[in-house]
Amino acid sequence: MFSKETYVSRRAELKKLVKSGIVVLFGNNNAPANFPNNGYHPFRQDSSFLYYFGQNIDGLVGVIDVDNNKETLIGDDISIDDIVWYGAVDSVHDMAEQVGVSNSAPMKELAKICKEAKRDKRTIHFLPPYRADIKIMISDLLGIHPDKQKAQASMTLIQAVVKMRSTKTEEEIEELERAALIGYKMHTTAMKMCRPGITEKEIAGTLDGIANGMGAMVSFPTILSQHGEIQHGAPSMAKLQAGKLMLCDAGAETINNYCSDNTRTTPVSGRYDQRQLEIYSIVEECHDYVLTVAKPGVKWWDVHFGVCRLMTERLKELGLMRGDTDDAVAAGAHAMFMVHGLGHMMGMDVHDMESFDQINVGFDEEVRPNLEQFGTNCLRMGRRLQEGFVVTDEPGIYFIPALIDNWKASGHCKEFINFDKLETYKDFGGIRLEDDLLITKNGCRFIGKDRIPYHPKDVEAFIAR
């Protein structure tokens, strides 16, 4: 938890942006894994509740009465039965004081507050819910069917929260640096463990243990697979095979719930073969290109398509693509190889504020998403960069057999893709490199003082030690 003053300041700024009405920020409840007393562990609080009210305890709701400048932390004090099993926690009154909230109330008061606000025709601002139990609460409190809650969530509140959470303060950057340190330990451990005969599960389980032991948890389920062409390839009991590539996309979350997100692609045999090195070098060049162009005022949309053009040029040199580069990118031919966007906002959520919809987070009135074109429709971020933004830089090249077959059969982008040569890469897998970037006053920099090796010679030297 940050200082009391941090949360007081954040709520004061939120009130200025929202201007009127009542803001209701729902904290999360415990989620049972398979029966009520066996919950998913560790508990994960809602990020926006954490941002404004700081308390990482289940069963809380924060209410901000903007018109009357009144703030209330709502929740029920735990019973003696809970204390027996889980230990004592501070009272709701004490938790409110810790974050500079003057008022506290039991949960039954929330219905009364909402009823009075509805009676007086005051605006009740809430964020789009993503958990079923919170949807039921909103239905009971406000009479809005769960199917309609996303559409009726407050755009005023969404825009205010996005404005505030997008730009990271110094104390937030320090937390992100701590997350990067854990991520460094996770990824370098994976690289050291990478060898023929070990299972994907064993490596991934070790990484998850590092995240849990050094922080709060992983920032997302660890992706670790020899099938790097599968974007979210879950670790299996398959043993790593000589000659393959191991793609590891993993991150950690600190005790204060700030995230890291990195990807490395490691040769199982200890060295990249010539074909792997050719593809890896293109991804490496695209990754480093971002460092030279990302700065305040630049549209991330333009950075993304700069990468797509560079990638297309290099794939043409290998004979995998052909034709005019600009025409190929305009047609979306590059998406045969990079099916996703270049990166996303990051902070307390690894895909920061994605529950609000990326159109509200990564885009604005100036830069709108293209939801029709394959590949481009997965670009989560396009707006102009600002100092204090944190974005991921994650180009990749993938050879997806089913996608190759699909496009070849339909003739899609056949004027730009050499399908005959592409057939010989169906056993390749995929390569992705990912790091977290802080946008600075005049450019950008990596988050994390220790660099996870990614240049081919550095990777090979590191795993040989």
Side-chain angles (χ1 to χ4, degrees), residues 39 85 234 263 281 355:
W85 289 102
T263 306
S281 296
S355 61

Side-chain angles (χ1 to χ4, degrees), residues 1 3 19 27 38 46 82 114 156 159 162-163 192 198 209 216 258 272 285 293 311 319 331 341 356 362 392 398 441:
M1 188 187 298
S3 69
K19 296 181 180 177
N38 185 27
D46 175 78
D82 289 330
C114 291
T156 298
Q159 291 173 342
V162 169
K163 179 179 176 64
K192 284 291 190 182
I198 193 169
Y258 283 79
Y272 300 99
E285 186 178 357
V293 297
M311 184 179 293
F356 304 166
T392 61
Y398 315 92
K441 184 177 181 179

Side-chain angles (χ1 to χ4, degrees), residues 301 304-305 328-335 339-341 358-359 362-364 366-383:
W301 179 279
H304 168 80
F305 281 104
V329 171
H334 62 280
V339 299
H340 56 72
Q358 285 300 307
I359 193 171
F363 296 88
D364 54 22
E366 179 191 14
V367 185
R368 307 305 293 165
N370 179 347
L371 301 178
E372 303 302 321
Q373 187 182 69
F374 179 79
T376 307
N377 60 349
C378 293
L379 179 58
R380 294 185 173 95
M381 170 74 178
R383 61 190 284 205

Side-chain angles (χ1 to χ4, degrees), residues 49-270:
F49 180 88
L50 273 174
Y51 188 82
Y52 293 104
F53 285 89
Q55 295 292 353
N56 198 15
I57 301 293
D58 62 299
L60 299 173
V61 178
V63 175
I64 303 173
D65 185 334
V66 180
D67 303 316
N68 297 302
N69 195 28
K70 180 180 180 181
E71 302 168 348
T72 307
L73 184 64
I74 294 177
D76 294 327
D77 291 330
I78 65 172
S79 68
I80 189 64
D81 290 335
D82 289 330
I83 293 173
V84 167
W85 289 102
Y86 304 112
V89 299
D90 293 328
S91 68
V92 176
H93 172 79
D94 289 341
M95 286 190 281
E97 284 195 336
Q98 290 164 9
V99 292
V101 174
S102 300
N103 305 284
S104 61
M107 189 58 70
K108 65 181 181 181
E109 288 297 308
L110 183 58
K112 180 180 177 182
I113 291 170
C114 291
K115 182 178 180 180
E116 290 177 352
K118 289 174 64 180
R119 180 198 65 199
D120 296 338
K121 294 183 170 48
R122 301 175 66 198
T123 301
I124 302 175
H125 302 275
F126 63 91
L127 295 171
Y130 52 89
R131 287 194 173 189
D133 55 339
I134 302 301
K135 292 181 179 181
I136 293 170
M137 283 184 69
I138 292 174
S139 181
D140 290 343
L141 291 166
L142 305 180
I144 304 172
H145 190 277
D147 289 345
K148 298 180 179 179
Q149 290 171 12
K150 182 177 178 180
Q152 294 190 37
S154 169
M155 187 54 63
T156 298
L157 180 58
I158 290 171
Q159 291 173 342
V161 175
V162 169
K163 179 179 176 64
M164 293 183 65
R165 284 182 55 188
S166 292
T167 304
K168 306 303 186 285
T169 62
E170 283 300 318
E171 60 187 352
E172 289 182 288
I173 293 167
E174 289 175 6
E175 279 298 316
L176 290 165
E177 295 281 356
R178 293 186 186 100
L181 285 172
I182 306 172
Y184 175 85
K185 177 67 173 177
M186 294 168 70
H187 278 276
T188 53
T189 297
M191 295 167 76
K192 284 291 190 182
M193 293 179 70
C194 181
R195 63 182 183 274
I198 193 169
T199 66
E200 297 170 357
K201 273 275 193 183
E202 182 174 348
I203 301 175
T206 301
L207 306 193
D208 293 355
I210 292 170
N212 290 334
M214 296 179 67
M217 56 195 292
V218 292
S219 51
F220 57 95
T222 296
I223 298 165
L224 192 145
S225 177
Q226 296 170 97
H227 287 282
E229 78 277 9
I230 301 173
Q231 299 305 293
H232 288 170
S236 72
M237 291 302 295
K239 293 181 179 179
L240 299 191
Q241 299 177 20
K244 292 283 192 177
L245 295 168
M246 181 189 76
L247 188 149
C248 177
D249 188 342
E253 192 170 298
T254 68
I255 289 296
N256 284 325
N257 304 104
Y258 283 79
C259 299
S260 70
D261 184 6
N262 300 94
T263 306
R264 293 294 185 266
T265 308
T266 306
V268 177
S269 298

